[in-house]
Amino acid sequence: DAAICGSVALSFGAVTDQSAEVLYSSNFDIGGFQFDTDGVDLTGVASDLSDASFSGATGIVIGFSLSGGSLPAGDGVLATVSFSPTNDGASLSASSVTVSSAGGVTLASSGPGSTATDGCYETDCAGVCYGDSALDDCGVCDGGNADQDCAGVCGGDSALDDCGVCDGGNADQD
């Protein structure tokens, strides 16, 4: 069994309703990782380590490089996990974390804990989660076509005459 040395701290970075960055801070180059996820249904994983995969059934994410590549010591993105959106939000957590150096030595690591996904993956034009505001024909959110003139031109200058005719010039007046 390889000696445990070095340390890696994992945390969550950018989190949306369908993805989350798993960040690392390490004093060694990282050659591989594995962790379990809970609280969401995984749909994908991306990592700068060329061989990253996941199991939707178990929630396990694994990453390594068959060509010997590694993630550099310091701070960076270990992986970005994708998951099915939820209407009510979810709490994403990662556990059973194992991280190894580029030389295959197991590094001491701490997991990212848990983070809440926002649960809103559909907003209206006003930015309200599951709201009902809509763009009018002029592209104004909840504008009710107020920016249209009587000829239906957005921002146009046509106007109703005294007889109610658009650009009529009062020709129908007695």
Side-chain angles (χ1 to χ4, degrees):
D1 196 321
I4 296 177
C5 65
S7 66
V8 179
L10 301 181
S11 62
F12 286 113
V15 178
T16 70
D17 59 329
Q18 297 182 52
S19 68
E21 290 179 328
V22 178
L23 306 178
Y24 72 89
S25 181
S26 175
N27 56 348
F28 285 86
D29 290 350
I30 296 176
F33 63 85
Q34 179 176 325
F35 57 87
D36 295 344
T37 60
D38 291 307
V40 295
D41 294 325
L42 291 179
T43 59
V45 62
S47 175
D48 284 344
L49 288 174
S50 59
D51 298 301
S53 62
F54 72 98
S55 167
T58 63
I60 294 174
V61 176
I62 188 168
F64 58 91
S65 174
L66 289 174
S67 64
S70 62
L71 298 174
D75 299 330
V77 177
L78 183 72
T80 300
V81 293
S82 302
F83 42 86
S84 298
T86 60
N87 290 339
D88 57 356
S91 180
L92 170 65
S93 64
S95 59
S96 302
V97 177
T98 302
V99 180
S100 63
S101 70
V105 175
T106 301
L107 303 171
S109 58
S110 59
S114 67
T115 187
T117 64
D118 73 8
C120 178
Y121 59 96
E122 183 179 316
T123 58
D124 64 9
C125 62
V128 176
C129 186
Y130 303 108
D132 59 3
S133 294
L135 294 176
D136 67 10
D137 293 335
C138 296
V140 177
C141 186
D142 276 346
N145 294 325
D147 291 341
Q148 276 185 346
D149 65 10
C150 63
V153 176
C154 293
D157 59 4
S158 293
L160 294 175
D161 66 10
D162 293 334
C163 298
V165 177
C166 186
D167 278 343
N170 293 325
D172 292 340
Q173 198 170 30
D174 292 2

